[in-house]
Amino acid sequence: MLTCNQASQLISQSLDCPLTLTKRIQLRLHLVICDACRHFKKQVTLLQAALIRLREHTESDPSITLPEAAKNRIRQQLASK
Ligand SMILES: [Zn+2]
């Protein structure tokens, strides 16, 4: 049986790529018995949907842009890593 930590990792992974059949079954079994992980999965799914809607909104509105100063700060932070 998965621990809650393992289940939450699988929930997060499932957002990026499909899980193997074995992992999907393990996760479903855990979710049947664990309210906390079911709640976590619901919250993560809602957050993902909100981010998709936000991306769609910002991509369709050319007036929404990141200021050049902010872009430069991000570039500097990435370069320093
Ligand atoms: Zn759990």
Side-chain angles (χ1 to χ4, degrees), residues 55-71:
R55 184 178 62 203
E56 290 169 353
H57 174 72
T58 56
E59 286 176 349
S60 66
D61 186 347
S63 70
I64 300 174
T65 60
L66 194 61
E68 198 59 37
K71 291 178 185 176

Side-chain angles (χ1 to χ4, degrees), residues 37-71:
C37 286
R38 276 198 310 274
H39 184 71
F40 175 73
K41 184 176 188 298
K42 183 177 178 182
Q43 294 299 313
V44 167
T45 302
L46 288 172
L47 181 59
Q48 182 187 37
L51 289 172
I52 289 170
R53 283 195 305 273
L54 177 64
R55 184 178 62 203
E56 290 169 353
H57 174 72
T58 56
E59 286 176 349
S60 66
D61 186 347
S63 70
I64 300 174
T65 60
L66 194 61
E68 198 59 37
K71 291 178 185 176

Side-chain angles (χ1 to χ4, degrees), residues 3-4 7 30 34 36-37:
T3 64
C4 289
H30 183 85
C34 184
C37 286

Side-chain angles (χ1 to χ4, degrees), residues 2-5 7-8 11 30-31 33-38:
L2 294 177
T3 64
C4 289
N5 189 34
S8 63
I11 290 167
H30 183 85
L31 292 175
I33 62 160
C34 184
D35 287 341
C37 286
R38 276 198 310 274

